[in-house]
Amino acid sequence: MTRRWESATEELWGLLGGDASATASVTFTLRPADILPSRLPVATMARAAIAVCALAAAELAALRTGGPLPAVEVDDGAVAAAFTSERLLRVDGAAPIGFAPHSGFWPAADGWVRTHANYPHHRDRLLTALGLPAGTGPDGLATALRGLPAAAVQERAYAAGALAVAVRDAAASEATDRGPLLETGRLPGPPAAPRVFGPLPAGVVLPAHGVRVLDLTRTIAGPIATRTLALLGADVLRVDHPALPDEAAHLDSGFGKRSTRLDLDSPPDRAVFDDLLATADVLVTGYRPGALDRFGLTADHLARRHPGLVIGRLSAWGRHGRWADRRGFDSLVQAATGIAVTESRSPGRPGALPCQGLDHATGYLLAAAVLRALTARSTAGGTRTASLSLAATARWLTEDLVERREGGTGAGTGAGAETGAGEMADGATVDGDVVGAAAGGDVAGGSVFDPAPWLTEVDAVAGRMTYAVPAVRFAGGPVNWATPPGRWGADAPVWLPRDAPGDTPARPLA
């Protein structure tokens, strides 16, 4: 089943400043299975985020080729596989990514808390915050948490730089970002003339060919955005601190990119970084607001020093709420904004979305915003910025999209409609992993989604990789990344020549 209209896509495209008529080029292919089954309209969110990202890529492709706007196809199967890519990934048959033993939901004295301790330094800070000795295992952590109020755990963790939140319903949440879903704009500063890139190479259309992207993001959301830019031909160089490895996540989000390590507190490394930034087209950051200010990476400073730069920023809690200066991850935002309560499948126990949906949706929206900014810069110049947060995406999902579904503004009630496939009335999830199918109004009676048609394999330095193919597609564009992930942090901190042959090919789908 196909259709050409979805109001959530039109809403997002409007927020991105796109020409409303362009959405007519998008076709949705709906699958007769429950993709991303949830009580919330997760499937609608996922389709719309992928659709506007692909449309922004097609728009830039049309600008650079001088041709018409390419057709965009959004396939439910590819969307579901893309939104669960880190869970579907296999290296030599094994799953390299998962939650650590100290991460998860835990009973507290008066409710539940959600912890995130996937990184060793976050685990150590959590134990310290609770007065537990180093090396305390999950059982000891559980015992300590049962004796403390959830809010006390949350505030102790925050004070120690650890990550734990009290599970709240939406009405009691303190974490909501009341700012807009997407903030874009042109920054004041020195004039920046339109920056037009040269012609695209023959063959597969790579609209971001020649674009240099400096990637200061970690985990899922930011790396998803930059992985998408790499798919579209950008030279993406990820920069991490040498003491903060992220190897497992890089296996999923490192396709098409290069990865290097620099300590910005070290003068020699800082000089290298400044040289990279001087010729970058795009800077993407994924840290708390203000966390990078001491390095001169505020938007105003960047606009003065690097006119014409496109600046993409994302954070967990946003720039407007009470929690702006707190660390966070998708699972914590779900717990703190009412999603975990809504998604509960067992009496008294919190639940989760069937994917890290806030991460993925925010990542694709950030990529779309960067692509639209590159298009605008090519014609009107200027230094441009786009800011998003997981908390704002959570509010869009739990308020705006729910209101649209309940208000009947979707396109019918069949499979894939905004009241249909992927949004279930009943079912089961445990910490986001689907363990039971649900009848959410789909044509096939609640059949379980099979991702196999949207998986492929490649040999990489890490081993034989099975992974989800890109869901962002337009006619004539790439269907896969040019390269698999290399070793985390192993690349030289240099840009490739803008016409480097390694930048241009798109490896055919296996």
Side-chain angles (χ1 to χ4, degrees):
M1 176 181 175
T2 64
R3 76 161 181 267
R4 290 188 175 275
W5 181 85
E6 189 167 87
S7 63
T9 299
E10 293 188 339
E11 177 191 4
L12 288 182
W13 189 243
L15 291 175
L16 288 162
D19 181 350
S21 66
T23 59
S25 71
V26 182
T27 299
F28 297 90
T29 298
L30 310 176
R31 299 288 169 179
D34 280 320
I35 69 162
L36 306 176
S38 169
R39 287 199 164 107
L40 291 166
V42 177
T44 297
M45 175 180 71
R47 283 188 204 102
I50 294 285
V52 296
C53 187
L55 187 54
E59 178 187 51
L60 183 57
L63 176 70
R64 296 196 64 181
T65 62
L69 183 67
V72 170
E73 180 177 333
V74 179
D75 188 302
D76 267 4
V79 168
F83 264 61
T84 53
S85 62
E86 73 281 359
R87 299 181 183 186
L88 296 173
L89 181 70
R90 297 293 182 269
V91 179
D92 293 332
I97 301 174
F99 281 103
H102 292 76
S103 297
F105 290 112
W106 309 86
D110 60 350
W112 288 82
V113 295
R114 175 86 194 205
T115 61
H116 193 288
N118 285 8
Y119 294 113
H121 61 291
H122 288 158
R123 177 201 60 211
D124 295 344
R125 290 175 188 171
L126 177 63
L127 297 178
T128 298
L130 298 174
L132 299 173
T136 298
D139 290 343
L141 175 63
T143 299
L145 292 172
R146 277 195 296 268
L148 293 169
V153 174
Q154 172 183 285
E155 296 310 311
R156 282 196 195 184
Y158 167 57
L163 292 119
V165 300
V167 175
R168 303 290 191 194
D169 62 25
S173 175
E174 302 173 333
T176 303
D177 180 1
R178 303 311 305 184
L181 172 61
L182 173 67
E183 294 181 275
T184 61
R186 182 169 176 166
L187 295 172
R195 190 178 299 184
V196 181
F197 293 103
L200 294 177
V204 174
V205 178
L206 299 172
H209 172 73
V211 175
R212 291 174 171 173
V213 178
L214 202 52
D215 177 6
L216 273 64
T217 68
R218 293 170 61 81
T219 314
I220 298 179
I224 290 294
T226 53
R227 182 182 72 178
T228 303
L229 297 175
L231 168 72
L232 299 169
D235 179 12
V236 177
L237 182 62
R238 173 173 167 166
V239 178
D240 284 286
H241 191 284
L244 297 174
D246 201 22
E247 290 103 328
H250 179 66
L251 289 173
D252 177 62
S253 62
F255 284 87
K257 305 181 191 177
R258 295 177 300 121
S259 168
T260 195
R261 292 174 286 175
L262 294 172
D263 178 0
L264 299 191
D265 285 313
S266 162
D269 281 8
R270 179 57 192 272
V272 172
F273 178 83
D274 287 343
D275 285 345
L276 291 167
L277 184 57
T279 57
D281 299 290
V282 178
L283 173 68
V284 183
T285 66
Y287 291 82
R288 291 167 293 147
L292 300 176
D293 288 2
R294 64 194 179 95
F295 299 118
L297 297 180
T298 66
D300 290 344
H301 184 79
L302 289 167
R304 290 193 301 270
R305 291 288 302 276
H306 305 284
L309 187 67
V310 173
I311 305 161
R313 299 178 294 181
L314 64 84
S315 61
W317 307 107
R319 314 182 72 83
H320 303 284
R322 295 172 56 189
W323 285 21
D325 64 342
R326 299 194 179 209
R327 296 171 175 85
F329 292 91
D330 180 304
S331 59
L332 300 185
V333 176
Q334 290 189 40
T337 59
I339 292 174
V341 173
T342 299
E343 293 294 331
S344 174
R345 298 287 173 259
S346 302
R349 178 180 173 84
L353 299 178
C355 58
Q356 300 294 101
L358 307 180
D359 269 331
H360 284 270
T362 307
Y364 286 110
L365 287 177
L366 180 58
V370 167
L371 291 164
R372 289 237 66 242
L374 288 169
T375 297
R377 190 190 67 174
S378 295
T379 56
T383 303
R384 299 175 182 270
T385 184
S387 299
L388 298 95
S389 75
L390 304 184
T393 302
R395 182 165 59 85
W396 184 59
L397 170 65
T398 59
E399 295 182 13
D400 296 0
L401 291 183
V402 167
E403 288 176 8
R404 175 180 288 106
R405 179 179 64 183
E406 294 176 351
T409 58
T413 57
E418 289 173 293
T419 54
E423 296 151 22
M424 62 186 181
D426 293 295
T429 64
V430 177
D431 287 355
D433 294 321
V434 177
V435 296
D442 78 62
V443 203
S447 59
V448 177
F449 170 69
D450 178 9
W454 294 277
L455 301 178
T456 190
E457 296 186 347
V458 67
D459 288 318
V461 294
R464 184 71 175 172
M465 301 185 74
T466 303
Y467 64 97
V469 299
V472 172
R473 295 196 181 187
F474 61 89
V479 297
N480 214 327
W481 290 275
T483 58
R487 296 194 187 281
W488 175 84
D491 292 293
V494 296
W495 293 119
L496 299 175
R498 289 197 190 267
D499 59 351
D503 238 3
T504 59
R507 185 170 48 79
L509 186 63

